[in-house]
């Protein structure tokens, strides 16, 4: 049975300073939810089991949005596999267990589209989970996220804990990470094109061949889906959250260069990995529940570029 968020509900947003967590906080505030619990990394180290248990014992939230995670783009995933698998396993295990122990009414766990096999049929349906080998550049992160899904399912099966798991596609938007080593492709391209324009450079380097396809979802759309599913979904089955639209990296580069106003050349560095060739989510399950994304990619890129310009000095660069 689905539960409803009320203005007075006590809601813990884990990872409230990140791309996803900050968008969820904005959406909750817009929905009139005023009783939000947040803790910075300095106040609460989510990899510390005893500290997480203490926090839940004291704070006793009714609802939990588990948006805290170690995330990054293809290069970060590929070069720090130990950090990605360790931090994500610890964070999600500590929170899911402490939430159940403290009788949280409902928990929403965020996975990722990279949990699906590298050569999954497209678009990828929820039932394609664990049907083939993973993409090697991010299998460490993917395995941690799959463990999170299984933990939610196990706690529901054994304890009746209402934990749901959402699989978002590639995200972007206000508050993104613009560090060129650790970011995802969209914020990286915004920064590269912007700096090339300012410095009057003749070309911008794009990693890989430009042929992989990716589906992008604005983080405000994801936050809207999170609130919708917290209210309307209660199941052991995972559910995809995407825009249903994919573009090649080359087409994305053209869109971003137009938004930024860069007129030089694109140079493809094929010594950098492409990653999975395609990962388009099948969003028919979510559509059938009555939710669809609102922000088209061109508008979302313009919005993110504006955020970058206004926040460039404080953005994580
Ligand atoms: O966004 P991205 O880093 O992650 O890269 P993934 C997507 C594609 O863009 C790859 C290419 O083919 C990259 O080679 N690309 C081109 C670039 N130029 C750049 C650039 O300057 N920076 C970056 N970062 N990429 C991640 C996973 O996979 O996606 C995570 O590693 C997670 O686990 C996340 O699932 C959503 O889409 O390949």
């Amino acid at each position: 049975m689905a539960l409803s968020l009320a203005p007075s509900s006590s809601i813990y947003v884990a990872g409230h300073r990140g791309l996803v967590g900050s968008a969820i906080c904005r959406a909750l505030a817009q929905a009139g939810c005023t009783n939000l619990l947040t803790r910075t990394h300095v106040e609460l180290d989510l990899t510390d089991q005893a500290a997480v248990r203490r926090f839940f014992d004291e704070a006793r939230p009714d609802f939990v949005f588990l948006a805290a995670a170690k995330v990054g783009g293809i290069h970060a995933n590929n070069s720090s596999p130990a950090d990605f698998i360790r931090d994500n396993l610890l964070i999600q295990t500590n929170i899911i267990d402490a939430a159940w122990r403290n009788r949280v009414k409902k928990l929403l766990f965020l996975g990722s589209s990279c949990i699906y096999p590298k050569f999954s049929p497209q678009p990828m349906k929820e039932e394609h989970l664990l049907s083939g080998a993973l993409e090697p550049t991010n299998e460490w992160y993917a395995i941690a996220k799959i463990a999170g899904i299984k933990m939610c399912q196990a706690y529901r099966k054994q304890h009746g804990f209402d934990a749901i798991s959402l699989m978002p596609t590639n995200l972007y938007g206000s508050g993104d990470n613009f560090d060129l080593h650790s970011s995802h492709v969209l914020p990286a391209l915004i920064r590269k094109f912007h700096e090339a324009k300012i410095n009057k450079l003749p070309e911008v380097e794009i990693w890989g061949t430009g042929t992989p396809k990716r589906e992008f979802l604005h983080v405000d759309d994801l936050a809207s889906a999170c609130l919708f599913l917290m209210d309307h979904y209660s199941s052991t089955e995972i559910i995809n959250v995407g825009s249903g639209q994919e573009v090649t990296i080359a087409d994305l580069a053209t869109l971003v260069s137009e938004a930024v106003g860069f007129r030089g050349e694109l140079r493809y560095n094929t010594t950098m990995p492409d990653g999975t060739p395609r990962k388009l989510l099948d969003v028919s399950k979510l559509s059938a529940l009555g939710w669809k994304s609102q922000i088209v990619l061109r508008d979302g890129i313009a919005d993110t570029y504006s955020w970058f310009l206004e926040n460039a000095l404080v953005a994580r660069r």
Side-chain angles (χ1 to χ4, degrees):
M1 189 62 178
L3 279 169
S4 285
L5 293 166
S8 60
S9 301
S10 161
I11 305 166
Y12 173 47
V13 180
H16 73 289
R17 283 185 160 174
L19 174 68
V20 173
S22 58
I24 291 173
C25 287
R26 288 194 298 275
L28 286 168
Q30 270 170 18
C33 296
T34 50
N35 194 2
L36 301 192
L37 295 166
T38 56
R39 291 291 183 278
T40 63
H41 183 72
V42 172
E43 291 165 342
L44 176 60
D45 175 359
L46 294 171
T47 66
D48 178 343
Q49 185 188 43
V52 173
R53 283 198 181 178
R54 264 197 313 277
F55 165 70
F56 272 85
D57 284 346
E58 288 161 14
R60 299 201 164 268
D62 292 327
F63 294 89
V64 173
F65 288 88
L66 206 180
K70 179 169 179 61
V71 298
I74 194 166
H75 179 65
N77 270 269
N78 208 16
S79 45
S80 309
D83 297 352
F84 276 82
I85 194 162
R86 179 203 57 212
D87 285 1
N88 286 303
L89 285 172
L90 287 172
I91 291 167
Q92 69 205 26
T93 302
N94 291 343
I95 293 178
I96 294 167
D97 184 66
W100 164 69
R101 284 173 189 277
N102 283 282
R103 298 189 176 79
V104 162
K105 290 180 182 154
K106 188 165 184 174
L107 177 144
L108 183 152
F109 172 67
L110 284 152
S112 165
S113 60
C114 70
I115 54 125
Y116 292 112
K118 176 174 178 125
F119 297 113
S120 174
Q122 303 287 321
M124 304 183 294
K125 292 179 185 296
E126 287 85 353
E127 69 237 35
H128 293 140
L129 176 64
L130 291 173
S131 61
L134 297 164
E135 154 61 29
T137 55
N138 58 34
E139 63 181 321
W140 326 96
Y141 176 76
I143 287 285
K145 289 294 185 183
I146 293 169
I149 294 168
K150 289 293 160 194
M151 197 157 161
C152 289
Q153 292 174 340
Y155 275 57
R156 181 182 288 274
K157 184 176 158 87
Q158 186 177 339
H159 301 304
F161 183 41
D162 194 357
I164 59 171
S165 297
L166 277 56
M167 299 306 121
T169 193
N170 285 36
L171 302 168
Y172 71 98
S174 308
D176 216 332
N177 170 18
F178 291 86
D179 173 88
L180 293 182
H181 294 286
S182 59
S183 64
H184 292 98
V185 61
L186 200 152
L189 293 185
I190 286 180
R191 180 170 171 186
K192 285 180 177 181
F193 285 127
H194 175 75
E195 291 185 348
K197 182 180 81 168
I198 298 301
N199 298 315
K200 300 189 169 42
L201 301 181
E203 62 176 27
V204 160
E205 180 187 287
I206 313 291
W207 294 352
T209 60
T211 57
K213 291 182 174 171
R214 293 290 183 273
E215 175 190 15
F216 293 94
L217 182 73
H218 193 282
V219 73
D220 288 342
D221 269 336
L222 173 69
S224 151
C226 287
L227 268 60
F228 177 82
L229 291 170
M230 192 62 122
D231 276 349
H232 294 94
Y233 191 68
S234 178
S235 169
T236 192
E237 302 301 331
I238 62 175
I239 183 161
N240 291 339
V241 185
S243 60
Q245 308 289 323
E246 61 180 349
V247 289
T248 63
I249 297 303
D251 286 344
L252 176 75
T254 303
L255 275 173
V256 176
S257 65
E258 285 170 2
V260 171
F262 170 76
R263 297 191 205 294
E265 301 292 316
L266 310 185
R267 180 172 53 82
Y268 288 93
N269 177 355
T270 53
T271 65
M272 294 301 279
D274 267 344
T276 198
R278 255 184 108 185
K279 47 174 172 177
L280 177 65
L281 291 176
D282 182 321
V283 289
S284 49
K285 191 167 157 181
L286 179 56
S287 305
L289 290 174
W291 186 92
K292 79 191 256 296
S293 66
Q294 302 289 327
I295 304 171
V296 297
L297 185 56
R298 195 179 285 275
D299 293 347
I301 290 171
D303 166 75
T304 308
Y305 183 43
S306 299
W307 189 91
F308 171 77
L309 290 177
E310 283 160 25
N311 297 274
L313 294 176
V314 292
R316 291 162 289 173
R317 299 174 65 170

